[in-house]
Amino acid sequence: MAVYSARLTRDLFITGLRNAHALENQALSLMDRQLDRVVSYPEVADHLRMHRAETEGQIARLEEILETLKESHSSLKDTAMSMMGNLAALGHTFAEDEILKNSFANFAFENFEVASYRSLLTVADVGAFSFAVPLLQKSLGEEEAMAAWVLENVPTITLKYLTLKSADETAGR
């Protein structure tokens, strides 16, 4: 196994933690906008609310790791990513099939988060940041579970959309 400098791994780890923190803030914005609009899909709303609470825990865990390293999150990144989350969610509001587009975007977003946590775990291992591993693994597990739930429920949501649309009911959200 290659040996990397302590400075390089620490810098990459801190950057990754700050990016993940901003990403989780973006996730909160996305979920909040979706929760404002999801009407005909209470099962989706329930799962979004549950994952929103998990996301707040993920943010707290990331802050705990950063504090242990005597670092802090990036308020600028957090604000920018939160704004991007709001804009991304707003983009789907005009779509007739908003619920489907949100489902697809949520699946992509959750997998992006999964990859981010896997990368952080790799750097934690290489950089000997073992104190962070259990915290990152917990967040990874939550993201993997949410990604799996979204994927498993795309057919159900699609069929419900078709059923509601066939009955001329509000189907898109």
Side-chain angles (χ1 to χ4, degrees), residues 13-73:
F13 194 53
I14 291 166
T15 298
L17 291 166
R18 287 178 176 155
N19 289 342
H21 192 277
L23 190 63
E24 296 301 355
N25 277 287
Q26 182 180 11
L28 288 178
S29 293
L30 282 167
M31 285 184 279
D32 287 345
R33 294 304 67 78
Q34 288 179 32
L35 282 166
D36 288 345
R37 297 190 48 79
V38 69
V39 174
S40 301
Y41 302 83
E43 65 283 4
V44 173
D46 289 346
H47 221 78
L48 284 172
R49 275 190 283 279
M50 181 209 61
H51 192 58
R52 190 187 191 294
E54 289 175 338
T55 301
E56 289 173 343
Q58 293 162 5
I59 289 170
R61 287 190 288 277
L62 290 165
E63 289 172 354
E64 180 180 337
I65 296 167
L66 284 164
E67 287 171 15
T68 300
L69 294 167
K70 299 193 181 343
E71 297 287 342
S72 64
H73 61 90

Side-chain angles (χ1 to χ4, degrees), residues 93-167:
T93 62
F94 302 107
E96 183 178 317
D97 60 347
E98 176 182 359
I99 187 68
L100 298 179
K101 286 186 173 43
N102 282 341
S103 295
F104 307 155
N106 289 345
F107 181 68
F109 196 86
E110 293 303 325
N111 279 287
F112 189 91
E113 289 176 305
V114 166
S116 176
Y117 281 110
R118 286 180 185 245
S119 179
L120 282 168
L121 282 161
T122 300
V123 178
D125 184 47
V126 170
F129 302 111
S130 58
F131 71 92
V133 170
L135 299 170
L136 295 171
Q137 285 176 331
K138 181 164 178 53
S139 295
L140 173 62
E142 292 167 350
E143 297 300 358
E144 289 173 331
M146 184 61 175
W149 184 88
V150 172
L151 183 60
E152 289 167 12
N153 283 275
V154 166
T156 303
I157 294 166
T158 302
L159 291 172
K160 186 169 184 178
Y161 173 83
L162 285 169
T163 300
L164 292 170
K165 190 72 175 165
S166 294

